[in-house]
Amino acid sequence: EAQVTQNPRYLITVTGKKLTVTCSQNMNHEYMSWYRQDPGLGLRQIYYSMNVEVTDKGDVPEGYKVSRKEKRNFPLILESPSPNQTSLYFCASSSTQWLHGYTFGSGTRLTVV
Amino acid sequence: KQEVTQIPAALSVPEGENLVLNCSFTDSAIYNLQWFRQDPGKGLTSLLLIQSSQREQTSGRLNASLDKSSGRSTLYIAASQPGDSATYLCAVKSAGNQFYFGTGTSLTVIP
């Protein structure tokens, strides 16, 4: 089944403790992206990647890092999480031919206390 | 920069009613437009994808239309059911490397 897999689904952590949210897709998509979703603010893009070793900032990159060492994986790293990063996070992928639309993961609910 | 707007932000209808959700965008040079459904706290499920060369797409009780020249898309839901209650988002792929999302319409279908 074609899918984007995020882990973990739920995460509670403390301020300052580094964490990684993983994202993997099995569709051989070149384009991958991370979003956060907050009430009243909609989906906001954090980072995206056009292909292996090619990443770029989205609208809200501060406090986040990403890497794209393999085509299928695009982890999101919070090196020193803060409470304002409490949010619902989504990973998504697409081919760069843009023919089959955007596929989303199931989301990661992160709480930073 | 592309801007995507969805009006209304919330909609409540009785079961069985046909309804239309609206999505407008400012730049007509798009690759495609996609409609998603999101249940509370859940992921985005793709409903329909319309390529820029297409005028509409249908899936079951759902029909999405696209008018690039006017910068509008509509999602028509026939014979609404309580299970259709969710937030509906539209997303536009324009030139450049980003997708642009509306803020969604929250639909409640009353039994």
Side-chain angles (χ1 to χ4, degrees), chain B residues 31-53:
Chain B
Y31 286 96
N32 60 50
L33 185 144
Q34 194 168 0
W35 283 93
F36 292 90
R37 169 188 172 133
Q38 186 178 27
D39 294 293
K42 305 294 186 183
L44 279 72
T45 300
S46 180
L47 298 173
L48 290 165
L49 171 69
I50 312 177
Q51 301 294 344
S52 63
S53 58

Side-chain angles (χ1 to χ4, degrees), chain A residues 9-10 31 35 37 41-43 45 48 50 57-59 88 90 94 98-102 104-107 109, chain B residues 1 31-32 34 36 38 40-46 49 51 89 91 93-94 96-103:
Chain A
R9 290 293 310 277
Y10 301 92
Y31 185 92
Y35 294 85
Q37 187 179 41
L41 297 177
L43 280 163
Q45 191 175 43
Y48 64 92
M50 292 295 292
K57 296 177 181 179
D59 298 318
L88 181 58
F90 290 104
S94 172
W98 318 119
L99 293 176
H100 301 294
Y102 223 178
F104 276 78
S106 298
R109 171 73 68 181
Chain B
K1 179 181 176 181
Y31 286 96
N32 60 50
Q34 194 168 0
F36 292 90
Q38 186 178 27
K42 305 294 186 183
L44 279 72
T45 300
S46 180
L49 171 69
Q51 301 294 344
L89 292 148
K93 178 64 185 74
S94 303
N97 299 328
Q98 293 181 287
F99 289 77
Y100 296 90
F101 287 83
T103 51

